[in-house]
Structures are given as structure tokens and as C-alpha cells.
Amino acid sequence: MKTQEKNVSLALSELNIEKEMENIEVVSNIFSKTEHKSYAICFLGGRSDIIFESKSDVYTSITKEYVENIVEKIYNQFEKSTIIDTLKIITGGQKSGISKVIIEKIKNLKQSNPLKEEKDLQLIAIVTLSDKSIRIDEGNDYVIKTENTMKKIEAMIDIAYLFVVFPGGKETLGDALIAYNFIRNIKEKNNDYRILLHPFWKNKGIIVEEDKIIHYFIDGNDTNDISFIPSEKGKIVELKQYIFSRIKKNKLNKLKNLKNAIVNYIDNSQSDKDILLAIDFNSYVFDKNINKFYNEYYATQEYINIINNIYEKNNHILWTKSNENIFGVSSIPNGKVMTGVTLEKKEREVDIVIDRKKPNSSFNSMAKEFNSKRYGQTLMFRAIKIEREEEKLWFSVMLLFNYQLPKIMYQTIRNFIEDFITVQSFQKVEDIFIEKNKSLFKQATQSAISQVFVRNMTHNIVSHVLVHLLKADAFSIKGLSQSIKKDAYIPQFNLENTYDIIQEKKKLREIIQKIQLEDNDLSLYDEFLLAIDRKVFSSNTLLYSKNQLAILFNYISNRCFYLNEATYGMVNMVGIKKAYIELFRELDQNRILLNHISGIDNFRYSIIFKREYNNKEVIQLYDTIYNKELELEKLKNQKEEIQGNIEISKDLYVTSVSILNLSGKNKKNKEICKNNNKNTFKWIDEIDEENEINKEVEKIDKDIEEINKKILEYHRKIKENKRIGEDDDISIQLPGEVLGQQAFYNIIENIIRNTAKHNTTNTEDEVKFIVLFSDYNNKYYKITISNSVQIKDIGRLVKNQNRRIREFTIDKGNYLRSHSLGLLEMKASAAFLRQIDIVEIDSEFDLPLLTACEYKGCLGYEFYVKKPEKYVFVFKEDNFLEGKNIKSLENYGISFLKVNEFKNSIREGQVYSHEFIFLQEGAQDKLGELGECFYKAHNDKQTNRKERVEALSLLPERLMLIEKDFSKKLIDSKDIEDFEKKVWEQWEGKEDEEIDRNTTKVNQNICQDTIRETDIENGFDYEECRQVVFFDHLNNYRTWKNLTAGVNTSLVTIEPLSSAAQRKLPGFKNDLGEYVEEARKSPICQKLVEAYFNKVIVIDERIQRAAESIYPAKDGQGVKEAEIFNYINVLIPKKEEIDLAKEHFSKDDKNAIITYIDNIKKAEFLVIHYGILERIYNNDTNRTEAINKQLNKWVKVTRVIVTSGRGRQTLEHLPLSVNYLNISSLLYAFVENRNKYSINYILNQSRR
Amino acid sequence: MEKLIVFTNKRSIKNFMPEDRERNKVEFKEIKELENKGVMALRGNVLISDYNEEDVLFLASDMIDQQSFKKFYNNIKEDEDDIYILYHLNDHGNKFDHESILFDIDEKRKKMGQHVGRDRTYDVFIKKISSFLIERGVNGREWKADGLAYTQAQVSDIIETIFNEGETEETKKAEKELLESIKNKKE
């Protein structure tokens, strides 16, 4: 990430690391191609005037005039050039030979034909100090002196672009070759160098062929066509600038390179085994968690033995305090020369073991030890320790030579070692600071977003909404009524009509009016409250002020849970929510919030959820029709064939009968008839077959007709972008379920706020916020939220908003940026919805987190949410997929994985949010212990429970082993409904089976208000049937008592459901009675039966407290929630027996809780509040360890879900096998919308 | 004569109805007309609006207004008749205004029940009807229309079971025994 890079360099300069970079040229590229107008030409050629002596042919001779002529051409080109103002002519600078002619000629030209004022022509001499014979011409503008020929050429290359090589002697040839090789090895993309050679060199046969760089003069005298400097139309060359370079250091960035450099330096004809006995590198970087040295060496076994022996008796040399910054070298006087040396390479981590009683190693003691072993000739050692505040970086290199090195070589070898250590330390420092900066950056981003969350919470919800509830008056009936009915938000769903309370409303209005008149009359106020209470129990209206307050506070508390989780990371658990029924309706009912959130008094608006239908779905439908027609064609062909066969069979029949009748029943005829008899009645079977085909044809025809209807419907919807309703609701996958829901609302709120704030149109106009769901790809829905305010220059606004969205969260000082904080919060919420850690918010993703867009001339924002991921096929062989349309299957939320891919992903800790994972039979072995945890059916899992393994916390509970044939059957399902039906029937069993024509054994049943009993007369056996019984709310206590009296709880579960809870049931539309009739069939039946019969143990004081509350019945005598939980397999200790809210638990309490859990057999889930575990193990010296030990015990038999309101980040020490769930999701399923289906769903979705 | 009027609606009564081969709950034939007609006589498994003096068992819509009911009641009530009424409050639908519709009915002859299992009112009523139909060879699996009027004895049996709570346990026991014997016979 750009920011990270930026911060690394900041951190480096802060810590003054320049010292380590002393030798590094750090001049950045300052000028671009178009910003410079200079060019340099270097001339090489004979230093002596002998070169001008006449030769036999034109190719080998050169005259002064020839050189002057070229110089003049260059001078003229420069004079005319509009792109080059400074020309540098580089020569050897001598007072004789080519240099002299060039210098003289330029001097003359400058005098005879002066250049314009802006033009500057420089004469530069580059010479070597070692060559004492050179006489430098005084005509040079300046002279650059270099140490040797190599450096001279390096310097020339550093300045010049063009080398013109005239005839010369060996020196010229050497210079030209060095220059050519240098240039050829420059790997820059734009190599602008050119070398022009006089043909003199061609005949010498020593110069390579022409290539991109090298060119010969075409004719010794014909230089008219040559552009010596870039022409106006020509290519402008890059300016010679220093670049950030660590080339020399980088060469020694590896121990191997250091070894090779030393060996080559000493004697490049020798192989390394004869020079070095060891090169041993140690480093230590302080890290609280790592107490190890990094050790890398090339060494002989003998060296290793000696060094190990030393470290057995002494502490490590790097540990020795006196070795902080030393370089040591010593001859080993008694060392022998070794032959047949083999160096072994090793990289390892060595534990730091410090024994204070042992002496510390030193260079001296080391040298003595090698001397005593007579091993090695020269020992060299370099150690450096960089320590600053918390950072500790220690390095050492030990070299043992098989040579006695002369002193003259020490310095160079030392330089190599210094280079190596500098590079090493620089790299380590860089690594540390990249890491440190990553962590700092993470913390800074985290804090910044946390600030945004707090700021926006304060700004939006507190300043705009809660501010209206600060005074006691606001809570009066009048006050609340004003808030609820403010009419700023124009609802799309009428809460009053739902509950048929128009009459009640009239009465209420009368009472409200009365209260307004006599405000202080307490008796009237009480009367009013009573009336309200009565109304609540009779109609449960959501508009009732107390309910509205509860809705608002619930929203705020869920928001806080969301903000807490989002700040600290991402959640692994996902839930499926319906766009209309849940997302929209639950927002729409929050009238106090919606009426105030805009912060502008007269801002009126509505929110509309729409769905974009596109041609993709129609195309898919056409595809289906095409396939069906192919099937039809095939069937028709079969039919024709069979009809033909029927004719033949009938003929055969007739023939055989005729033979017998006409030819008499002799033996031969009998034989013929016998053979024919085999086929005699074949035609009857064939007619049956034809009938079967006819039936199938009829079915396909019907299917095609239905699809055609669907296509027509889609075409209509494509035109309209229809509002989403209950009938065509879509499901989306939200991280953290209610938390994700809050992230979604958070984006909507910000858009409302921003629109209201910047809205300059007529405030009386209603602004419509469109929340549009469109199909993005197999995995995602794209959500576009736009307003209806037309903007003139919308393109510019969109561009600006996108720029703001893309800007970094934190500024240069690692502080929160000062602008567009609403956009930042939206982006953070969009990241949460994608399960992306908010600290990654500034990274670039293929699918952007949030973008501004234009929607019908208005401003909109786009982000993405996942489609539900439901099924994964893990296969060993994929032949069952042959010829299948994988894409259309993926569209249904079905994905496919090879067993090895799956295994690797589990190893990497990938979380699977799916509902089912199918494992192909035969692939279990590949998964080891995990393979054992796949079962053919739920019942199989319950009766043959295996010990659970850690990886299960990444996976759903429904791990299904499927036979080859069944996988084919599944894949061949005609649609997703058919697929689900097959899956659930396999997993939970069929809901009924017809034993004979008169008897049906019912295994599972869903009913309302009654328990179905065996009905022998009508042939229905319910003796062993598992039944889920619903009540639509609860009429009275008698209703409950009637049904629960003496009921067999192992076969019957009973639950009264609120309207909101009913909406959470799978496939629920709007009427419980109608729903139950549907739900009695698969797959809903199986889904409900699984949910209601799964045992759940709950050890949480908040849920225990909620279980003490009364579920209201209309006669006033309600039912304790605890009693209801008891009938739906939710097992919570009775408060009077184990009070989970106690501040301290005694030993007895602890035993009681553990015994309670242990006594419940075959529980599918154990939900436990981490706070309770802390109280249970409060007296243990290592509480975390004790808690984990207990959790590890439970987790072997059941899925353990730890819950907490503190956020997952506080539970990082939890065993990996344990799952986590935020308390908000639990309360949502257990308390706010209590229903066992949601409870089972949410617990199944919990992950590590 | 003892006659029985059962207030109900198409949806509520369905809860206890037998199942057909596909396990869909069957319905009394023509029950869709009940709300419209107000009251219909039950003969076998068919509801008819052209009832006559033979009819002793009626289903009444819980949507009926006071006047229409009164008219019907007076129409079927002979001097010597004991007319029993089973009604419910229909809390989840349009509430049945029993206070005004049944205000002049003797408390002993009206009983409030619920369409809830084990309430021993509506559930028992359907169970009784179902067993009478089985005796005539009409079962839920086939559910062929059968329009034979119920006899006085059959209706009295129903009334006895629902209204005479004292005998509840006994009846329950008898019922159980009956079911057992049928089951045994079948096996």
C-alpha cells in the first residue's frame, strides 16, 4: 500500500538511519525529459599526432580536416538546434592528437561564428591520474580527474550520450571496448547511448557488429547524414541523473554473495573450497515472542564441531556485551592448510540459552580455540549491535580462512564485510519498520475509523435523534407522539393497518386530546396508560410509544455492538437476511429515528427498496427452455423408435400365431414360435413405455409453458425495476447478521444526512431514496443507494466524491483526515459488509468498497453484499459434473472444490459460511480426522458421534457424506427447490412414507394449535412422528396448558410466535395458517424439525433473565419464557437453582454449572457467556488456561459458542476449536424475536 | 330434538380435518360458501344451504351478524328442541361478537371452545364426525362426497362429549379403547 511505503520512509528518517546509508547515493530524479536541454558527446581517438600521418587507404587514414569537418557539423547542428542549449564536448583533454584538433576547432568556431547567448558549449577533459605522460590542453573548460581508466570511462558514461571513436591506438581501443561493455550492460528501458565508430576500426576486426548502440560511419568522409545531437524531431534523451541506488550494497545482500566476493577478490582462479573454511553469520532481532538467533553459514564440519564445542562451554559470542562494535582479525599461527575442503550450507534458528555461570565468548578466545585445534590460518570477525529504545539488532560475521592473508588484503575484505552487514542491518531495519509501521498504520487506521464512528454516532444519532429525547417532556405521551408522527419520514409500510387498529386509534386520539387539555391530571394520565397497555396486549402495535422507544434503543444498542466489532476486525459469522421483510421493514418501523435523522426540520423523504431485473435471468430462462426442447426432441425420437418397434412386435406376434395356425404345430414350427414368443407380448410393454414417454413429454411441455410465463413476467419487471415486496424478496448474506444489518443502515443514514445537508432544492418536495439491488455476479449483489435530487453537473460531483472516497484515512501525521468523514464511515461499513478488516480500507480491491455514481441524474453510491453461500461440493473426482452448467449451479449458491483445495484452505484457516458441505464418499481419507466428521444423515451424526476436531469451528455443522449416485442426483435437480428438497430429505429424513396404499407413516410434521395424533381409520401413523407446533401469539394460558399437558417432549416441540418471529421462519409469507400447510412438506418441514429438535444449552445470565419474563397471553396470564424454552429444546438452568447473574461463584456454583452442562447428553450446541467462565475460574492462578482447558473438554462433544458483548478482539486467546458469537445476534434470536429456527440458524452460522 | 350449531370458519376448522393420500388436509365440501351463506347444515362431509327439519347439525360462520343468526335460530328451533352452540372468540381473525349474537342463549347450552388441540371442543367435534364418516366408508384418503344427514343419536353423542365435561375422562378412555381395538383388528 502506498501509505505504508510512505510511512516506512518517514520512520526511517525519524530514526536517523542515514548512518547506515552513508555510501548510498540518494538523489532522486528531479528533471523530466522535457525539462532539460543538454547533451554531451565524448570523443575518443589517438592521443598522438601520428594518427594524422597518411595511410594507404581511406578507411585507415584520418586527416585533421576530417575531424574538423565533423566538429564543425556538430557545431552547426548545435547552433541550429531548438531543443539543445547546452552541449558538452568531452575529450581526453590532451595537447596532441584528436583531442587537440577538436579543442582548437571549437575555439576557432566560437570566435568566427559566435553562438547565441542562450547557447553554451563546454569542453570537458576527463583524464586518469595514473597517466603522468598526459599534457592537458589549456583550452578545456574544466578537467575531471579519475583514479584509473575504468573510472575515467565510468565518468564519461556518466556524462555523455554519444561516443565518437576516431582512429587510435591500443588505449583508444581499450577505452572504446570498456565504454561499449558498460553501455551494453545498462538495463534501463531507454538506453539512449550511441557509439559512432570510424571505419578504421572495422578493418581491425576487433569490434563487434553493428547493433542498437554501435554504428559505423558509412563512409569515412561522408558524415552529412549523421545527426550528432538529437534533432528537433528526434528523440530527446533522459537527463543523466543519479537515482536511488544501492547497487553495490545489494550485491552483498546474501551471505553467498559475500563469500563469492571474498573468494574472487583473493584469487578468482581458485575454487572456494580451498580458500574458506567457514563464513558464519549470526543475527538477532529483538522480539518479545522470539528468543532465537538466526544463523546462516557455509562451513566445514570441523569448524561446526569446534564452534559447537565452544558454545557448550561459553555463551554465544553475539551475546557478549563487549562485542558491540568490533572488527577482529588474527592469524592462526599453528593452523594447517586443509585439503579437500567441503563447505556445508545451513540456515537455522538457534535458541538463545544464557547461562550466567558460563564465561562469554570473545574473539580472542575463539582465535585461541582454533589455534589449539590447528584449524584455519586467518580468523576474521565483525560484530555490530544497533540498539535504540525497544529495538535491538545484532549482527556478526565470522570468517575462517585456509590462507594466511597478507595485511594488504584485510581492508578490502573488511569493506566487503561492512557492505554485507550494512545491507543486512538495513534490510532488517526495513523489515522491522515495515512490520512496525504496518502495525502502527493498522493502529492509526483503527483509531481513525473508531474516531469516525464515534464522531458520526455523536453527529447523527445523538445530535439529531437522541437530542429530541433529552427532556422529561419528550417522554410524555404528547412528546413521543410528536416524535413518532413527525411526518418527516414518509413510510412505505403502514404499521397501523397491519394490526387493524384504526378504531383503537380513534379512541386514543380522543384521550390524547383530553390529556392535552388537562395536562396535570394524573388520574387521566394513568387511565391513558392503562388504555395503551390494554391496546398493546390486544393488538401489539409497533407504533405504541413504548414499543417505538424499545425499537430505537434496540437499534442504538445494535449499532454500538456493530461499531465495537467493526473497529476491531471482521466477523466470521454470517447470517442471511431478507432485503424487504427484514432490512427494510425493520428500518421502516423505527419512526423516531427516521423522523429525526436528517437533522433538517422540513426535509421530507421516503426510502424505497427496489430490485433490478436484468436480461441475464431471462437469458438463463431461455437456456433452460433450449435444454428442455432438446430433451423433448430426444423423447420424441425415442417415441418414434418405440412406435416402430410396436409395429414390428405386433407383426411378429401375428406371424407366430399364423405359423402355428397355418403350418401345423410340428417341431420346427414350434421352435420358430418359441423364439418369436420371447417377443410375443413385447409390444404390450412397449405401449407402457410409450405412455411413460407421453407423460414426460406432457410434463416438459408444461414446464416450458411455465418458463415462458416467467419470461413474460421478467420482461415486465425489467421495464419497471420493481419495488421489492414479500413475494419477490431477495436474500443477502450479512456478516454478523444484525451487525451487518447495522452496517447497511449506517450507509443509508449517511446518505440521508448528506442529502439533507446539501439539499438546495425546494424543501417541500419529497426526496426519494432508492435502494436498488442488482445482480452483479455469482457472488455479489450490487447495492446502489441514490437520492432523487437532480444535479446539473453530476459528472463532476461524482468524480469529486470518488476522489474523496479514495483518499487515505489518515494523513501524513498518522492522524484522521479532516474531511469527508461521512464517506469514510460509509466506506468502513461497506468494508464490514464484505468481511474486510477496516484497517485494509485504503487498499485497492478488484471490486471497490464504495464508489459514487450517477443514477438517473442524481447522486448515488454503490457497494456490494454477498449472495447467500449455501452449499459446497468437495469432490475427489468431478465426473459427476460432466456436461453440467456449473455457472448456473453457482448462481444458486453452490460451489465446487477439489478435496485437496478444501484441505489446504482449512489448513490456512479459511472460514466456510455455507449451510452444507458435501463430501464425496471415498474422499474422507484425504481429510484425515476431519473426514470422519462427515455423516450421511443428521441421525447418523447424532447416534455415531465422533470426537470433534479443531477445524470444525471453520465449518457448518451440516457436513454431509454423499454417495456418488446421490451427487449425480443432486446435480441433476431441475431447480434449486428440487435440489434443496433432496438435500434436506437425505439429511433429516423424509417427512412421510407410504407403507401401503392404506397406510402412511408420518415422520415429521408441522402444525398450528394442535398436535396431530395417529389416525388409524384414515391410515396415518403419527406414533413416532416428530412434530413442531406453532401458536400465533398466545390467546390465553388455557391454550398453552391444553396443548402442553402431558406432551412427550422428545416428539413434540411447541412455540408461540410473535409476528416478527413468524417472519423469521423459512419461506414464511404472511399468514401462519397458510404457512403451516406449506411447511408440512419438504424441505421446510425438515429445516424446522432439525431446528426445533436440536438441543441447545445456554449459560448466559442475560438470556436466563429474559427467560424469567412472561410471554403475554390475552387473558393476562402469560407463560414464562423459560417454560417455552423448555418446549423447544433450549436448556437454561433455572434461576432458583443456578443464578448465573451472581457476582461471585462459589465452588458449589461452579460444580453445579459444570454438572448441569455435563448431564445434558447429545446437545448440539453449548452457548456460554465468557464472563461466566471468568467468574467460575476467578480464583485460578492462570484463569485463561483453566477456562481454555474446560472449553477444550466441552468442545470435543459439542459445538461450543462463546458469547460476549466486549467484542471478539478481547477473546483472542480462545482455543481455535471454539466459536464466537456477538451477544447482539444471540439476543436478537433468543429474546427480541425468540424462535427456535433463528436460534438454531444463528448457532449453526457461528464460526471461529 | 337435540341440535348442534358450531361456529367456525374455513381456516380454523381445517386444523383438525383428516388428511388425504398426499397429506393435504381435506375440507367439508362447499365450506367455501359458509361465510357467504352464514349457516349451513352438515350432512356427511358436505355442507348444504337447503337444510330442512331433518337436519340436526349445523356449521355457522363466525362472521354472521346478529340478525341473520337470530333468523336462522328461530327458524330451526322447535319448542321441544334443545339447541346447543359451540363457539369460539376467533382472536386472530375477525373477532366473533358472541356477547351480542349469543346473549340470549342459555349458558348451559352454549360453550366457548378453541380450535386448539386437546381443548376437547372443536377437536373432539371433528374427531366424532370423522369416525361417523369412517363407519360409512368415507375416509380422508379418498374423501368421496357423502351427503347423508347425521342422526339424532350421533349429534347427541357429540353434544354429550363436548358439553358434559364430567364424562370427559370416561369418553376419552372409551375412545382410546375403541382406537386400540381398531388398531388391533387391523394388525
Side-chain angles (χ1 to χ4, degrees), chain B residues 82-125:
Chain B
D82 273 336
I83 299 184
Y84 289 84
I85 293 170
L86 174 63
Y87 69 96
H88 72 148
L89 297 178
N90 198 23
D91 282 308
H92 294 299
N94 293 297
K95 276 178 205 129
F96 177 56
D97 191 3
H98 64 100
E99 281 169 8
S100 53
I101 293 175
L102 305 176
F103 79 99
D104 55 351
I105 307 288
D106 177 10
E107 286 300 324
K108 282 182 188 168
R109 287 185 171 75
K110 64 179 176 188
K111 177 155 184 165
M112 188 177 78
Q114 293 183 105
H115 289 83
V116 173
R118 302 179 184 208
D119 191 57
R120 303 214 49 77
T121 52
Y122 286 89
D123 48 344
V124 166
F125 168 67

Side-chain angles (χ1 to χ4, degrees), chain B residues 9-69:
Chain B
N9 58 57
K10 184 177 182 286
R11 195 178 123 180
S12 299
I13 201 73
K14 198 175 175 183
N15 246 348
F16 308 109
M17 294 299 280
E19 292 163 320
D20 66 13
R21 191 175 301 282
E22 268 70 51
R23 283 190 60 231
N24 296 313
K25 286 175 194 152
V26 296
E27 289 184 314
F28 290 129
K29 312 274 178 187
E30 299 302 302
I31 195 165
K32 58 181 187 300
E33 296 296 322
L34 183 63
E35 193 179 321
N36 190 23
K37 302 280 181 192
V39 186
M40 294 171 96
L42 183 65
R43 291 186 186 172
N45 59 4
V46 184
L47 283 167
I48 55 159
S49 48
D50 306 332
Y51 49 86
N52 57 35
E53 61 277 9
E54 266 183 60
D55 288 294
V56 285
L57 182 55
F58 301 92
L59 294 197
S61 163
D62 49 22
M63 296 287 282
I64 197 168
D65 62 82
Q66 191 187 2
Q67 220 178 350
S68 306
F69 180 70

Side-chain angles (χ1 to χ4, degrees), chain A residues 1051-1112:
Chain A
L1051 286 176
V1052 177
T1053 66
I1054 307 168
E1055 186 175 26
L1057 297 170
S1058 68
S1059 305
Q1062 288 173 31
R1063 289 200 293 270
K1064 311 285 172 214
L1065 299 175
F1068 186 85
K1069 287 199 173 121
N1070 48 26
D1071 181 284
L1072 189 63
E1074 283 171 21
Y1075 174 72
V1076 163
E1077 291 306 308
E1078 283 292 309
R1080 295 166 80 229
K1081 307 283 163 62
S1082 70
I1084 299 179
C1085 181
Q1086 283 79 357
K1087 288 183 186 179
L1088 290 172
V1089 166
E1090 187 217 53
Y1092 277 81
F1093 286 89
N1094 271 349
K1095 276 187 194 170
V1096 181
I1097 307 170
V1098 184
I1099 309 292
D1100 184 294
E1101 68 275 31
R1102 293 152 298 191
I1103 295 175
Q1104 189 187 50
R1105 195 185 313 125
E1108 289 299 302
S1109 64
I1110 302 288
Y1111 184 76

Side-chain angles (χ1 to χ4, degrees), chain B residues 34 49 56 70 72 74 78 109 112 126 129 166 178:
Chain B
L34 183 63
S49 48
V56 285
K70 200 47 55 195
F72 156 76
N74 293 334
E78 301 289 333
R109 287 185 171 75
M112 188 177 78
I126 294 297
I129 294 294
L178 177 73

Side-chain angles (χ1 to χ4, degrees), chain A residues 470-727:
Chain A
L470 295 183
K471 291 180 183 170
D473 276 359
F475 289 90
S476 69
I477 301 306
K478 190 180 160 189
L480 284 174
S481 175
Q482 275 172 359
S483 269
I484 296 164
K485 298 177 194 328
K486 188 171 175 265
D487 216 21
Y489 171 67
I490 304 156
Q492 299 300 300
F493 187 82
N494 198 340
L495 294 176
E496 289 106 320
N497 281 349
T498 326
Y499 297 96
D500 193 27
I501 59 156
I502 292 158
Q503 292 305 316
E504 295 280 350
K505 234 176 97 181
K506 271 186 199 166
K507 285 180 204 166
L508 279 178
R509 274 207 195 111
E510 284 164 18
I511 299 170
I512 289 167
Q513 278 163 6
K514 225 173 186 180
I515 284 179
Q516 279 171 341
L517 290 170
E518 301 164 46
D519 226 5
N520 297 324
D521 193 329
L522 281 175
S523 64
L524 266 178
Y525 182 72
D526 287 343
E527 192 188 311
F528 176 73
L529 281 186
L530 275 174
I532 294 276
D533 279 346
R534 275 200 297 275
K535 200 176 82 59
V536 168
F537 290 119
S538 63
S539 58
N540 198 21
T541 170
L542 291 173
L543 272 189
Y544 169 49
S545 55
K546 277 186 186 171
N547 280 350
Q548 278 291 310
L549 278 179
I551 289 166
L552 177 66
F553 287 128
N554 183 27
Y555 187 91
I556 295 169
S557 70
N558 282 341
R559 173 62 54 87
C560 293
F561 284 130
Y562 155 63
L563 297 179
N564 184 40
E565 288 283 352
T567 307
Y568 290 103
M570 55 178 194
V571 294
N572 284 334
M573 172 260 172
V574 297
I576 310 290
K577 287 261 175 192
K578 284 185 176 162
Y580 176 76
I581 288 280
E582 293 174 287
L583 271 187
F584 172 71
R585 288 272 292 272
E586 286 171 21
L587 176 66
D588 173 82
Q589 69 191 24
N590 198 343
R591 299 293 161 81
I592 299 178
L593 177 108
L594 292 173
N595 277 329
H596 294 295
I597 193 69
S598 78
I600 308 286
D601 252 5
N602 47 1
F603 182 77
R604 293 184 81 239
Y605 70 98
S606 55
I607 303 172
I608 298 157
F609 275 44
K610 283 189 168 188
R611 181 177 173 184
E612 186 183 74
Y613 289 88
N614 55 35
N615 288 323
K616 232 160 94 182
E617 285 165 74
V618 178
I619 290 165
Q620 260 181 21
L621 288 173
Y622 277 123
D623 268 355
T624 321
I625 289 192
Y626 176 72
N627 289 332
K628 296 253 174 207
E629 277 171 352
L630 282 183
E631 255 179 83
L632 216 58
E633 192 61 38
K634 213 169 141 190
L635 285 171
K636 280 176 183 167
N637 287 341
Q638 273 180 27
K639 195 177 153 182
E640 272 175 27
E641 201 182 317
I642 285 168
Q643 281 170 339
N645 289 343
I646 291 171
E647 292 307 315
I648 296 165
S649 301
K650 272 184 177 173
D651 281 353
L652 269 172
Y653 171 72
V654 172
T655 313
S656 58
V657 172
S658 314
I659 288 170
L660 285 173
N661 287 344
L662 298 172
S663 317
K665 293 178 182 174
N666 60 34
K667 200 181 171 187
K668 196 184 165 193
N669 285 342
K670 271 187 183 172
E671 196 58 33
I672 294 168
C673 292
K674 198 181 166 189
N675 284 334
N676 280 349
N677 260 345
K678 280 182 195 167
N679 299 315
T680 300
F681 295 105
K682 206 179 161 191
W683 59 277
I684 296 175
D685 290 338
E686 282 163 348
I687 285 176
D688 279 349
E689 224 175 297
E690 189 193 357
N691 286 337
E692 283 302 313
I693 290 175
N694 283 339
K695 270 186 201 168
E696 262 184 75
V697 168
E698 204 177 301
K699 200 171 147 283
I700 293 174
D701 277 337
K702 210 175 160 190
D703 283 349
I704 291 176
E705 198 185 316
E706 270 175 32
I707 295 168
N708 273 322
K709 270 187 202 165
K710 263 192 191 174
I711 289 173
L712 278 177
E713 177 72 358
Y714 263 105
H715 280 305
R716 191 180 60 78
K717 284 174 176 173
I718 289 168
K719 267 188 194 168
E720 291 174 5
N721 265 354
K722 202 180 155 251
R723 282 182 191 207
I724 307 182
E726 287 175 18
D727 295 339

Side-chain angles (χ1 to χ4, degrees), chain A residues 282-284 293 316-320 323 383 385 394-396:
Chain A
N282 283 285
S283 70
Y284 168 64
F293 288 121
H316 198 282
I317 192 163
L318 203 51
W319 192 257
T320 310
N323 291 335
K385 292 190 178 183
W394 301 350
F395 305 94
S396 75

